[in-house]
Amino acid sequence: MTTPWIDAKGIHTFYGSSHILHGIDFTVGQGETIGLMGRNGMGKSTLLKSLMGLIKPRSGSVAVAGRDMTGKPPYEVARLGIAYVPEGRGIFGNLSVVENLQMAARAGTRGQRDWTYERVLETFPRLKERLGHGGQQLSGGEQQMLTIGRALMTNPDVLILDEATEGLAPLIAREIWRICSLIKDSGISSVIVDKNWKHVTQITDRNIILVKGQVVFEGSSDALHAQPQLLDQYLGV
Ligand SMILES: Nc1ncnc2c1ncn2[C@@H]1O[C@H](COP(=O)(O)OP(=O)(O)OP(=O)(O)O)[C@@H](O)[C@H]1O
């Protein structure tokens, strides 16, 4: 078996005295697309932040590409090929689209430079039309495309998207889903957190549902669709 890009075991994370994650095991294999779902406040973002080193789990371990990264800072995790696009975007508003993309450019952990500036612009034609615009002049959807484009410019092995389609018009959200499929086809692993389980399960290889910081379901999209009561019980649809 190949080494997973991310292999977290027994993660317990707290905010102060609030115990949020209760012993989560979470792996991301090479080339795998994973859906992470659950109602609001169930711990999805907390899990992603625990993997990225943005919050230190109280116990458990996080390995990235076979290296123990438990308690290591986010930039070290990112350097090993994990790109994280947090909820709520976070582009550099004072910089132009070109500058935002160029400052992210780097070869991947395996030296690959598959995602060049040109390829990112080919993938996001809307950004190409806005090259000289400042980040803050972009619409919400364009900002989201820019954050994803910037993450791709780092040539990651794993792309983590937290609520990338949140608050976007359906047409723009559809564009983001198209890009998620392209990313999958390019062989990059991804972790997708999104409320829209229908879109998520169309492209994922494996899905995980969290309830109160615990994994209550883990399986293929077919396995999830075969148990509609779980969607009702855990996702409220
Ligand atoms: N900085 C914080 N300090 C204290 N509690 C927090 C903090 N961030 C999140 N929480 C709490 O931790 C729990 C899990 O939150 P988290 O954001 O991980 O959930 P989520 O599943 O990502 O939900 P959402 O879809 O609303 O983002 C919630 O009860 C939330 O109120």
Side-chain angles (χ1 to χ4, degrees):
M1 210 183 87
T2 52
T3 308
W5 289 134
I6 299 178
D7 191 9
K9 291 203 172 77
I11 301 292
H12 285 265
T13 302
F14 289 68
Y15 289 114
S17 60
S18 306
H19 193 170
I20 306 295
L21 300 183
H22 298 260
I24 292 192
D25 294 337
F26 187 82
T27 61
V28 182
Q30 298 193 15
E32 242 193 331
T33 302
I34 294 173
L36 178 60
M37 294 180 279
R39 290 197 179 104
N40 287 343
M42 292 302 171
K44 305 177 297 292
S45 299
T46 304
L47 175 58
L48 301 181
K49 288 176 187 165
S50 302
L51 301 175
M52 286 307 297
L54 288 158
I55 308 172
K56 198 171 170 189
R58 191 164 296 182
S59 60
S61 62
V62 179
V64 176
R67 288 164 67 167
D68 181 19
M69 297 303 283
T70 313
K72 294 284 167 63
Y75 68 88
E76 286 193 24
V77 177
R79 206 156 55 194
L80 288 184
I82 316 296
Y84 170 55
V85 176
E87 209 174 347
R89 287 139 219 170
I91 47 158
F92 298 104
N94 296 326
L95 300 184
S96 68
V97 169
V98 183
E99 289 164 335
N100 264 283
L101 290 175
Q102 285 178 342
M103 75 182 294
R106 75 184 255 289
T109 48
R110 288 159 295 147
Q112 82 278 26
R113 289 179 189 272
D114 300 342
W115 287 91
T116 57
Y117 178 65
E118 290 75 23
R119 182 166 176 202
V120 167
L121 292 185
E122 233 168 74
T123 307
F124 299 90
R126 283 179 84 103
L127 291 183
K128 204 170 179 175
E129 294 161 18
R130 303 274 191 280
L131 281 183
H133 287 59
Q136 77 261 40
Q137 293 171 281
L138 303 178
S139 69
E142 290 162 353
Q143 289 188 5
Q144 191 59 271
M145 290 174 199
L146 182 53
T147 54
I148 297 173
R150 216 174 48 187
L152 289 171
M153 289 288 289
T154 69
N155 281 294
D157 296 314
V158 182
L159 178 66
I160 299 178
L161 296 176
D162 195 355
E163 307 270 13
T165 68
E166 176 91 2
L168 300 184
L171 207 63
I172 308 290
R174 209 176 305 155
E175 178 67 3
I176 302 284
W177 288 113
R178 179 186 71 83
I179 287 152
C180 288
S181 294
L182 276 178
I183 291 166
K184 177 187 173 92
D185 294 344
S186 78
I188 297 177
S189 299
S190 50
V191 179
I192 300 174
V193 174
D194 202 282
K195 300 251 154 38
N196 193 325
W197 65 270
K198 281 190 185 155
H199 278 293
V200 172
T201 55
Q202 264 172 33
I203 66 165
T204 46
D205 302 306
R206 191 152 55 86
N207 305 283
I208 289 161
I209 300 180
L210 295 187
V211 172
K212 294 186 180 159
Q214 287 183 305
V215 175
V216 294
F217 172 86
E218 178 164 4
S220 67
S221 296
D222 285 348
L224 185 55
H225 292 157
Q227 302 175 77
Q229 76 281 6
L230 296 185
L231 298 168
D232 179 45
Q233 189 180 352
Y234 298 136
L235 303 177
V237 292

